[in-house]
Amino acid sequence: MVSVRYPARSVEGHLAAPQMLPGEAAAFAALNSFTGVPADAVDWSATRTHAHEGAPIDRCESPRPVICYSPGAGDPRSLGTTLCDDLASRGHVVVMLDHTYDAVAVQFPDGRVERTVLPAEYDKAYPDEDRITALLRKTLAVRVADARFLLDALPGALPGELRGALDMDRVGMFGQSAGGFTALQAMHDDRRIAAAADLDGVLAYVQNDSTPGNLSTVAADGLDRPFLLMGMDGNDLDAVPSWDALWRNSRGRHRGLTLRGAEHATYTDAEALIPQIAHRLGLPRKTVVANIGTIPPRHAIGAERACLAAFFDRWLRGRDDDGLLDGASGRYPEMRPFPRRHA
């Protein structure tokens, strides 16, 4: 199941798209992992996005670069809407991919809802470390297979009004957490992906970012095409062994950035949603900080959007990033490049 975001010619008469459909929202309420947020006090199906359903595509720059998005383990594709809508507004076609039976729930057009099997699979594997590692390998393999199937299906599976709007010779991919792992591993396995970004996703079959060993093939082999690593506060090459391996083994152009004051979920829609939910429900500041860190949400979202857009503009459109990815611009002081000694 996918959502396709693109620049619209007009949105008049087209309804704002929901972030989650009712079936997805019900499962998310039951399984969401936001610390200290009472899920039953939130209507997760009520949020509307900045996209509009069925709006006609703006063809003035067609065909457009394509960027695929993969969410974190257990997350629905809709939890990346903040960044995906922004990339679409800048002229890309963004395809948001759900991993069925991994995501908390996937609702299909006929109303069918398929729920995650990951918690049950993990319970069967725990506490056997070998079985947990095998489950992590299987989960990532299925995700990469999903991504490659998506590339096989595009653009033929799209509605007729989108035919000819996608440039399949300019394809990028990004994701958060396991989605970032998926993006880089898919690029390693499939040369159709020209550039990829990993938002705080470990690249090994481990439960903690700092655990060495069990490297993926993308980390062990490296990449010969451009990639971007973006980490939460404290996550850099010294803290994440699999990132360090990828960095040392890669021949392609690469950049690494750490967002000071950020938590793991800062790279999802939690950054926009949690402060508003906390305000409405009267939740303490510590709840907000536990989920998205101390960086002001406007600063975090602005920095993430700008850096991600600069990366894909550079490698899918040939545009200059004006030093943004090197930290030379000074526009986003919380976004710090990895230490120079690792370059």
Side-chain angles (χ1 to χ4, degrees), residues 80 112 116 138 144 154 185 190 201 220 251 283 296-297 306 319 322 333:
R112 177 171 57 99
T116 183
K138 179 180 180 181
V144 172
L154 290 175
Q185 186 66 52
D190 199 314
R251 303 180 305 281
L283 302 177
R319 297 179 180 176
D322 296 321

Side-chain angles (χ1 to χ4, degrees), residues 280-296:
R280 291 286 189 92
L281 298 182
L283 302 177
R285 173 169 167 73
K286 67 179 182 180
T287 296
V288 176
V289 171
N291 285 285
I292 60 172
T294 57
I295 182 173

Side-chain angles (χ1 to χ4, degrees), residues 155-232:
L158 296 177
E161 56 268 27
L162 296 182
R163 302 285 173 82
L166 282 66
D167 185 348
M168 296 304 295
D169 291 325
R170 293 186 290 166
V171 176
M173 188 169 182
F174 80 105
Q176 185 264 350
S177 191
F181 190 171
T182 302
L184 293 194
Q185 186 66 52
M187 184 165 79
H188 172 274
D189 296 353
D190 199 314
R191 299 201 65 83
R192 289 175 291 184
I193 301 174
D198 175 359
L199 312 186
D200 211 45
V202 65
L203 300 172
Y205 305 105
V206 294
Q207 296 183 76
N208 297 302
D209 294 357
S210 60
T211 302
N214 284 322
L215 292 178
S216 62
T217 53
V218 65
D221 298 342
L223 290 165
D224 61 359
R225 281 152 288 153
F227 67 86
L228 173 67
L229 299 175
M230 297 173 70
M232 68 177 186

